[in-house]
Amino acid sequence: MDRFADRIKARAQAYVTREWQRRGAFAWALTPAAALFGAIAAFRRATFALGWRERVDVGVPVVVVGNVTVGGTGKTPTVIALVDALRAAGFTPGVVSRGYGSKAGEPRPVTSASSPAQVGDEPVLIARRTSVPVWVCADRVACAKALRAAHDDVDVIVSDDGLQHYRLARAVELVVFDQRLGGNGFLLPAGPLREPLSRHRDATLINNPFERALPPWPDTFALTLAPGDAWHLGDPSLRRPLAQFIGARMLAAAGIGAPERFFATLRAAGLAPATRPLPDHYAFRDNPFVNEPVDAILVTEKDAVKLSAWRDARIWVVPVEATLPARLIALVVEKLRGRSPA
């Protein structure tokens, strides 16, 4: 029953995502609700812009990596790459996140050994890949303050998502899109936009594995994600170049916001896997691959953090490395160095 429900959910998500790319009957029928959503969101933004509600400075500059659309766009690999770039520039970064599905009512630290069910899958992945302090809480102001109290050497905080968490003062805003861009241009629920495309930001990153031209927006950069050698879930010391999977009977599965991005990355590497899109943040309560007649199953790192107790020897994890343009890194560093910590 659970597997049937998961497939229905995945199909429903795919249908809505498809309809959000065009202005069909589905979208037009929901425009009254979108107008109401837009009015409420605009009023909320205005309360901060007019000073009716206060933005909180947590004492160090904050870089928000977020999106104005619903669904995954590649924020997590961007955060990981940005943390590495900031360390290379001489900063000591920390990361705050809401932690999708997190059960943390109060600010809570995340380590590489934390349970994804308790703190969210993406924060665990960030902690494993960066080894910097990572804290989760729905209240990002409280989260940032708790991180600083525990790590007084941290001099910049990267917020994984939180673009619409206006109470948290920020020095830099980076907005990440994938190949879907702003879809049909409508606000929720008629389209994928949480805020208008015209929303101010310091820079835009386009995660586009299909190599389409960048939109003519100011300060817009390409986000390059390159797959690395796959590692074995049961023994991470075992590594295989993706080319070694060519010709094998394989399945690619992804429980991320846009599974097709992962599949496109594998195809670009010369693979031709069967594919299994799963709902974003798929919980993997049991092994959905038990009856798959394949020799290898390729999954994302985000999914892999939830599979550590499994013993399916066919599962290999495909990491991706994000490359940030040097001009973007320079832009962020310049803005950070132009702000004195409180």
Side-chain angles (χ1 to χ4, degrees):
M1 179 61 71
D2 285 344
R3 189 171 300 177
F4 176 75
D6 289 333
R7 288 185 176 180
I8 293 297
K9 183 178 179 181
R11 289 177 182 176
Q13 287 182 347
Y15 171 78
V16 173
T17 298
R18 184 172 63 251
E19 291 301 310
W20 277 349
Q21 289 300 114
R22 64 192 189 99
R23 295 189 173 186
F26 175 89
W28 285 113
L30 293 172
T31 51
L36 177 61
F37 175 88
I40 294 172
F43 176 76
R44 182 166 172 264
R45 288 193 300 271
T47 61
F48 287 95
L50 296 173
W52 299 346
R53 297 174 67 186
E54 183 181 2
R55 296 182 187 271
V56 179
D57 189 331
V58 296
V60 296
V62 173
V63 181
V64 176
V65 179
N67 52 14
V68 295
T69 56
V70 172
T73 55
K75 294 187 303 296
T76 300
T78 301
V79 167
I80 293 169
L82 183 59
V83 165
D84 290 340
L86 290 174
R87 280 194 295 207
F91 292 94
T92 303
V95 175
V96 297
S97 175
R98 185 188 187 285
Y100 181 89
S102 169
K103 296 178 173 59
E106 299 293 329
R108 178 173 179 173
V110 179
T111 70
S112 59
S114 293
S115 165
Q118 296 296 319
V119 299
D121 46 18
E122 289 156 342
V124 174
L125 176 56
I126 293 169
R128 290 182 180 180
R129 288 285 299 271
T130 67
S131 299
V132 303
V134 179
W135 283 63
V136 296
C137 184
D139 184 343
R140 284 183 178 79
V141 170
C143 195
K145 287 183 175 181
L147 187 156
R148 283 209 68 210
H151 304 275
D152 58 7
D153 59 328
V154 167
D155 55 13
V156 60
I157 290 176
V158 179
S159 178
D160 177 24
D161 211 353
L163 201 65
Q164 290 77 35
H165 201 94
Y166 308 116
R167 185 165 161 261
L168 177 64
R170 67 284 308 267
V172 184
E173 291 183 329
L174 305 181
V175 175
V176 185
F177 290 88
D178 63 11
Q179 77 284 351
R180 297 169 294 181
L181 299 178
N184 59 16
F186 286 160
L187 293 172
L188 289 167
L193 295 176
R194 300 174 180 178
E195 297 182 274
L197 278 174
S198 58
R199 184 206 197 282
H200 169 78
R201 62 258 196 184
D202 295 286
T204 302
L205 277 165
I206 309 294
N207 173 18
N208 182 9
F210 303 97
E211 299 182 355
R212 295 170 185 161
L214 293 178
W217 301 339
D219 295 313
T220 298
F221 304 89
L223 173 64
T224 303
L225 294 181
D229 291 348
W231 50 270
H232 192 261
L233 182 67
D235 183 358
S237 66
L238 295 179
R239 304 266 169 167
R240 288 179 64 180
L242 291 182
Q244 289 188 6
F245 292 94
I246 294 176
R249 295 184 307 164
M250 77 187 86
L251 173 71
I256 60 177
E260 185 56 36
R261 274 205 319 269
F262 178 60
F263 305 150
T265 298
L266 297 179
R267 294 185 191 109
L271 307 186
T275 58
R276 171 80 71 83
L278 298 166
D280 195 13
H281 300 285
Y282 185 70
F284 289 99
R285 291 179 293 271
D286 55 14
N287 187 343
F289 313 126
V290 171
N291 297 319
E292 293 289 349
V294 295
D295 302 315
I297 301 166
L298 305 182
V299 301
T300 71
E301 283 185 296
K302 176 178 165 180
D303 293 318
V305 301
K306 292 170 285 190
L307 309 181
S308 58
W310 287 16
R311 294 294 181 268
D312 192 327
R314 301 171 298 168
I315 298 179
W316 292 79
V317 183
V318 182
V320 293
E321 297 288 344
T323 301
L324 301 181
R327 285 200 304 122
L328 173 68
I329 296 170
L331 181 152
V332 172
V333 169
E334 181 180 353
K335 286 183 175 291
L336 293 178
R337 288 182 173 155
R339 177 201 187 278
S340 299

